[in-house]
Amino acid sequence: DTGVSQDPRHKITKRGQNVTFRCDPISEHNRLYWYRQTLGQGPEFLTYFQNEAQLEKSRLLSDRFSAERPKGSFSTLEIQRTEQGDSAMYLCASPRELEGNEQFFGPGTRLTVL
Amino acid sequence: AQSVTQLDSHVSVSEGTPVLLRCNYSSSYSPSLFWYVQHPNKGLQLLLKYTSAATLVKGINGFEAEFKKSETSFHLTKPSAHMSDAAEYFCVVSDFEGGSYIPTFGRGTSLIVHP
């Protein structure tokens, strides 16, 4: 257990529906990252927060994706009008502030879009 | 821009024999390098990291990696494979480009261990 939790662990939805995932990072870590991992690939960076500020967004993050981190604590990732191509594992990580950005990963939320 | 290439998508070894998982990286800055392991239906776990200290890095479960700047490599090794080492391994590069740490993961190497 890394101390990073994600909810739900699994989500099955129909195409066109909206879904929201939650991540609770390690409490003393100021930064929080979201990644997407598809089968047979490594995790791909989506976005990251420094406290409540969203500082970077990948080109992978289409307009249907939005992330928030109110009050700099937990974060949510919402996907609107889901598509089958959104099916993936969505990972959250919170890194140490020092030591080169070592990341502590949550267990992930596996999204299946039917 | 940073990038990482894992040279083998699959590596197959017999239990008790050495393991070598190869990783080459590209970075404009002094990078931090990591190896993570992902067992089936488990989360990503840090094996070891290089952050500009000793070039030979020791990690958990008997794994080691050597940072070779001249070869831009960070290969992962273990003297003797165990059945429990069967998993997916990811090499990661992270530098401070543009004022942000944005890690880049390799595509992964699947380690298969035969009895």
Side-chain angles (χ1 to χ4, degrees):
Chain A
D1 184 3
T2 62
V4 179
S5 61
Q6 292 187 246
D7 183 70
R9 295 291 302 276
H10 302 274
K11 179 71 176 178
I12 300 173
T13 191
K14 293 183 178 180
R15 189 176 52 188
Q17 298 294 305
N18 299 343
V19 294
T20 300
F21 311 139
R22 175 178 170 130
C23 170
D24 287 271
I26 296 170
S27 59
E28 60 266 29
H29 290 182
N30 295 326
R31 285 179 291 151
L32 183 151
Y33 288 67
W34 284 100
Y35 297 85
R36 179 172 66 189
Q37 185 178 20
T38 53
L39 201 61
Q41 302 292 324
E44 296 172 296
F45 168 77
L46 292 178
T47 188
Y48 96 94
F49 292 83
Q50 173 85 35
N51 299 312
E52 66 275 10
Q54 188 173 16
L55 297 187
E56 290 280 346
K57 287 170 48 172
S58 164
R59 284 170 291 179
L60 293 174
L61 214 62
S62 77
D63 292 344
R64 296 184 298 106
F65 288 69
S66 61
E68 294 182 343
R69 194 183 181 197
K71 303 178 183 178
S73 56
F74 71 91
S75 177
T76 58
L77 178 68
E78 181 183 15
I79 309 174
Q80 296 182 325
R81 306 180 302 282
T82 52
E83 301 173 356
Q84 288 186 323
D86 297 330
S87 295
M89 178 74 85
Y90 290 85
L91 296 165
C92 171
S94 71
R96 291 182 193 274
E97 292 305 313
L98 301 176
E99 300 188 46
N101 202 43
E102 171 188 343
Q103 307 248 324
F104 293 87
F105 283 87
T109 295
R110 182 168 295 283
L111 173 67
T112 302
V113 181
L114 302 176
Chain B
Q2 63 189 20
S3 66
V4 61
T5 302
Q6 292 185 241
L7 297 166
D8 307 289
S9 59
H10 297 85
V11 169
S12 183
V13 301
S14 297
E15 191 175 20
T17 64
V19 175
L20 170 64
L21 305 184
R22 299 182 295 164
C23 172
N24 286 118
Y25 72 92
S26 173
S27 173
S28 304
Y29 301 82
S30 296
S32 297
L33 293 157
F34 307 84
W35 278 97
Y36 285 83
V37 61
Q38 189 174 37
H39 287 91
N41 299 314
K42 296 284 182 67
L44 283 153
Q45 180 184 17
L46 180 70
L47 270 181
L48 49 79
K49 61 187 177 189
Y50 166 78
T51 54
S52 74
T55 56
L56 182 61
V57 180
K58 295 185 184 298
I60 61 172
N61 300 334
F63 283 94
E64 293 183 349
E66 186 171 8
F67 173 71
K68 291 188 176 180
K69 187 175 181 179
S70 61
E71 298 177 10
T72 60
S73 69
F74 190 57
H75 301 334
L76 182 70
T77 60
K78 182 173 181 178
S80 176
H82 192 272
M83 294 297 291
S84 62
D85 295 328
E88 193 80 16
Y89 291 79
F90 295 97
C91 182
V92 184
V93 62
S94 180
D95 65 29
F96 201 58
E97 184 173 354
S100 298
Y101 281 113
I102 307 295
T104 298
F105 282 72
R107 295 185 63 173
T109 298
S110 179
L111 177 63
I112 302 160
V113 183
H114 299 285

